[in-house]
Amino acid sequence: MDPIDISKVQPIIERFVGKDVYIHLETTNGAYASHFNEKVFSAGAYIRNGKINYTRGKITGEGPYRVGLKMDLGWIYAEGLTHWELDAKNRLLMAGHDMDGKLAVALQISEAPFE
């Protein structure tokens, strides 16, 4: 994955506008964070193969970045994104890593369901 460059990522987000797409959205501070430090509050969210159709997609910020996807009845957004990749299956993969390099958030968009 490469560090996010808005000028490269924004056009790819727009490619998916108006199409039925699948998203993977995940946030975590580590499933075992509270096992290593009992004072850490473990929290996370996970959606895989959520089928959506968004009318607008936007990446903002100066790093870490925020991506918002506007749907007819609401929004999906991910904040804290730092890296991206368009893989060989034409899936937009975005991730945010913490100071230790651990995954903190992921937002992925694909025209086909994720395995």
Side-chain angles (χ1 to χ4, degrees):
M1 300 186 98
D2 296 319
I4 287 180
D5 177 336
I6 288 180
S7 69
K8 293 180 180 175
V9 176
Q10 181 63 46
I12 297 169
I13 292 171
E14 292 173 1
R15 280 190 210 169
F16 296 108
V17 168
K19 298 179 179 179
D20 289 337
V21 294
Y22 298 88
I23 63 159
H24 173 87
L25 176 62
E26 178 178 358
T27 64
T28 182
N29 61 354
Y32 301 101
S34 59
H35 292 274
F36 296 115
N37 182 347
E38 64 186 28
K39 294 181 179 178
V40 172
F41 180 79
S42 183
Y46 183 89
I47 300 171
R48 187 158 184 89
N49 287 323
K51 189 175 181 181
I52 67 165
N53 188 312
Y54 61 90
T55 57
R56 181 177 174 216
K58 183 79 176 169
I59 183 168
T60 61
E62 297 179 10
Y65 299 91
R66 179 180 185 171
V67 170
L69 307 174
K70 183 180 186 315
M71 301 174 296
D72 284 343
L73 298 176
W75 284 86
I76 292 172
Y77 81 86
E79 189 164 355
L81 298 164
T82 57
H83 290 80
W84 78 287
E85 173 183 338
L86 186 65
D87 74 1
K89 295 181 178 179
N90 205 32
R91 302 179 300 190
L92 177 57
L93 313 176
M94 296 172 283
H97 299 98
D98 67 14
M99 299 299 183
D100 297 324
K102 295 178 183 171
L103 181 68
V105 60
L107 175 61
Q108 303 174 348
I109 306 169
S110 172
E111 291 185 57
F114 293 96
E115 299 90 30

